[in-house]
DNA sequence: CGTCTCCTTGATGATTCTCAATGCGCGTGG
DNA sequence: CCACGCGCATTGAGAATCATCAAGGAGACG
């Protein structure tokens, strides 16, 4: 763990490389390009809107550290989280020409992003030298879209308990792909209000739903961490199934983790 | 109306041309290419699964006539409709290589599709001669994605009444873009069960929600047709707003309509 | 130590679901 | 032509899920 902090710069962009490499084996040039994402970083505080509204800059970025959300607020205060943006996820990777409405993206934790203009240029060049990169990014886009479809099913046809289990499994799967899990444990640096906005539930009901999952010994949750105690049961009750398998089996070696906010020990 | 039947072949692919032309002015070559979609047609009965499961053929198609849905069935019989596929909408326009899971697409009415392989080839060629076509299809893809996001907000944060109003407005907008509306009226060739699966509600509650909209004189519904009596009020109560405007204002000239199934007069 | 945010709990009510039954229109076969 | 079945819309009653309101507690932080 000690040396992780020393090599933090490498580790951060390594997240993006892991994700893409798990989707399509990257060649050396592609790996180098992806790792260079960390060269030009941007830091954001927690709770900051980094895209949408007035800020028109749609520079492509990759999240290297921290959590963010794409959300849609309603006029009367209701808020729906469309999807979570985790380390390795892209923002505006496909260009936003003309009058395309920009998504409203807000950080949930302090966040670091890498500049993905070089990556976008490589993808748009159509150069066959970037074949592996193109394939990986195409698959990454599939994953993003499939997650949207999962979100629709979750909100439309699952009960509160099922929704929660389903979302936790999705987050686990996505974090596992970028090496941010420890066994069945992962950092969940979000409040119950955020979970409520993602799942279309009230805060109170999220609280009670989590209690039920803990009471049934399906998960354990404390200090901003979750552990999935019975993955199979969780998958069963939530009709969850993996979108795309890893190329080389589950990633287990851990990287640095998003540690925020400070949470009391239950 | 009489001459519409005579020119039905033209009228059908005209739907696709209208949609794309409303998104980006098509040049003559692009128009011709889009209109040629009607040259090779495929007919499907109502209630037929035309993609997903065993049928692996992912030939790109454009719906020329009829309604279909992209749905996700759960093991216990629950079913969530991801999105409606209306005339002018594309199926599998972006290729499905490798292990990408195919969407499960089922017709709701007798449906006619046109072969879009030539269209796909033109898009993938990257030839700048197809610039207007590429732009229009890109915008069409935005619309599709934006509709998914709208569906998420609908299911996550809107009440039953709001969901119904919101969906009717979306359908109106999409049908209007392809010229399949008559003033504020349009054909709604689907059962209340389909509406329920799209809105994440029970059939019974869909029925009562529609009754309330009718009682409040917001809509009129009979014989498979809807009329939106107060569009502004509907937009207000459902937080609806148009995704992308038409280039040349609302399309009013009508084309042929999907007329199915036979419905009793209230 | 006071305040703030977040989690937790109880009580109550609204929304929505489920179950069950009825009716209506339409096609089908006698 | 009519009886029947079938799919779909409708209605009522009761129950489950989930939301809302209100209050309290437990850290974190200045």
């Amino acid at each position: 763990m000690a040396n992780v902090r020393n090599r933090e710069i490498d580790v951060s962009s390594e997240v993006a490389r892991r994700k893409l490499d798990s989707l399509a084996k990257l060649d050396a040039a592609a790996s180098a390009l992806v790792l260079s994402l960390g060269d030009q970083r941007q830091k954001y505080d927690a709770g900051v809107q980094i895209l949408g509204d007035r800020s028109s800059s749609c520079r492509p970025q990759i999240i290297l550290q921290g959590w963010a959300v794409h959300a849609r607020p309603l006029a009367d205060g209701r808020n729906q989280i469309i999807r979570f943006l985790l380390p390795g996820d892209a923002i505006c990777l496909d260009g936003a020409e003309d009058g395309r409405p920009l998504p409203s993206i807000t950080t949930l934790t302090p966040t670091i992003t890498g500049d993905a203009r070089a990556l976008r240029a490589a993808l748009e060049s159509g150069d066959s030298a970037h074949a592996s990169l193109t394939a990986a990014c195409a698959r990454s886009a599939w994953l993003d879209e499939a997650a949207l479809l999962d979100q629709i099913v979750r909100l439309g046809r699952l009960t509160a308990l099922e929704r929660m289990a389903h979302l936790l499994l999705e987050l686990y799967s996505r974090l596992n792909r970028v090496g941010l899990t420890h066994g069945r444990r992962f950092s969940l640096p979000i409040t119950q209000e955020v979970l409520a906005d993602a799942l279309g539930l009230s805060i109170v009901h999220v609280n009670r739903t989590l209690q039920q999952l803990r009471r049934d010994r399906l998960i354990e949750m404390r200090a901003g961490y979750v552990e999935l105690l019975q993955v199979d049961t969780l998958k069963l009750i939530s009709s969850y199934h993996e979108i795309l398998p890893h190329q080389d089996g589950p990633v287990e070696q851990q990287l640095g983790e998003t540690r925020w906010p400070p949470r009391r020990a239950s």
Side-chain angles (χ1 to χ4, degrees), chain A:
Chain A
M1 289 291 268
N3 67 334
V4 166
R5 178 166 298 167
N6 301 339
R7 315 188 340 132
E8 193 171 359
I9 289 181
D10 298 324
V11 168
S12 288
S13 49
E14 167 69 6
V15 155
R17 194 201 60 78
R18 273 196 193 227
K19 177 176 172 181
L20 293 176
D21 194 60
S22 83
L23 293 169
K25 198 76 190 148
L26 297 182
D27 55 42
S31 276
L33 178 58
V34 172
L35 288 175
S36 78
L37 283 169
D39 293 348
Q40 250 190 321
R41 297 157 163 247
Q42 177 101 35
K43 296 195 182 195
Y44 300 97
D45 288 335
V48 170
Q49 181 168 359
I50 68 181
L51 192 66
D53 262 356
R54 69 209 87 244
S55 81
S56 56
S57 90
C58 194
R59 197 161 41 79
Q61 301 170 72
I62 305 280
I63 295 183
L64 301 179
Q65 211 172 89
W67 285 41
V69 287
H70 174 189
R72 179 89 66 85
L74 299 189
D76 61 356
R78 285 179 288 184
N79 188 37
Q80 177 63 47
I81 289 176
I82 308 285
R83 73 182 196 109
F84 286 99
L85 300 168
L86 308 182
D89 285 341
I91 299 173
C92 275
L93 190 52
D94 42 327
E97 306 109 74
D98 295 339
R100 186 182 192 183
L102 293 178
S104 163
I105 295 182
T106 307
T107 59
L108 298 173
T109 72
T111 300
I112 301 176
T113 67
D115 187 320
R117 277 176 293 191
L119 180 56
R120 176 150 91 188
L123 293 176
E124 286 176 348
S125 74
D127 191 334
S128 66
H130 298 121
S132 68
L133 196 60
T134 303
C137 287
R139 289 196 167 198
S140 175
W142 301 353
L143 283 184
D144 290 349
E145 192 189 332
L148 283 189
L149 306 192
D150 275 356
Q151 171 79 329
I152 288 174
V153 175
R154 236 183 342 239
L155 295 171
R157 281 302 183 212
L158 299 194
T159 67
L161 195 75
E162 293 167 338
R163 285 182 212 184
M164 182 67 74
H166 197 277
L167 177 61
L168 291 176
L169 287 166
E170 176 187 319
L171 293 174
Y172 174 78
S173 172
R174 290 171 61 185
L175 291 171
N176 191 43
R177 189 177 291 279
V178 290
L180 291 178
T181 56
H182 310 263
R184 296 273 160 77
R185 266 174 76 247
F186 59 92
S187 168
L188 189 70
I190 58 177
T191 67
Q192 295 185 355
E193 180 176 11
V194 170
L195 283 173
D197 285 342
L199 296 176
L201 299 170
S202 68
I203 304 181
V204 171
H205 205 60
V206 162
N207 183 289
R208 294 186 166 128
T209 303
L210 286 172
Q211 283 179 52
Q212 183 174 348
L213 285 172
R214 282 180 293 203
R215 198 181 326 121
D216 296 345
R217 307 290 316 148
L218 296 175
I219 69 170
E220 215 166 57
M221 215 173 163
R222 45 180 244 285
Y225 274 81
V226 207
E227 175 163 7
L228 308 184
L229 296 179
Q230 302 184 229
V231 172
D232 292 344
T233 308
L234 288 169
K235 288 186 178 179
L236 205 61
I237 67 175
S238 67
S239 312
Y240 182 86
H241 85 295
E242 299 292 339
I243 298 171
L244 272 187
H246 290 275
Q247 281 215 323
D248 323 302
V251 175
E252 287 293 352
Q253 180 193 346
Q254 77 192 46
L255 298 175
E257 289 233 341
T258 301
R259 261 182 266 275
W260 189 92
R263 305 297 266 274
R264 70 175 166 289
S266 176

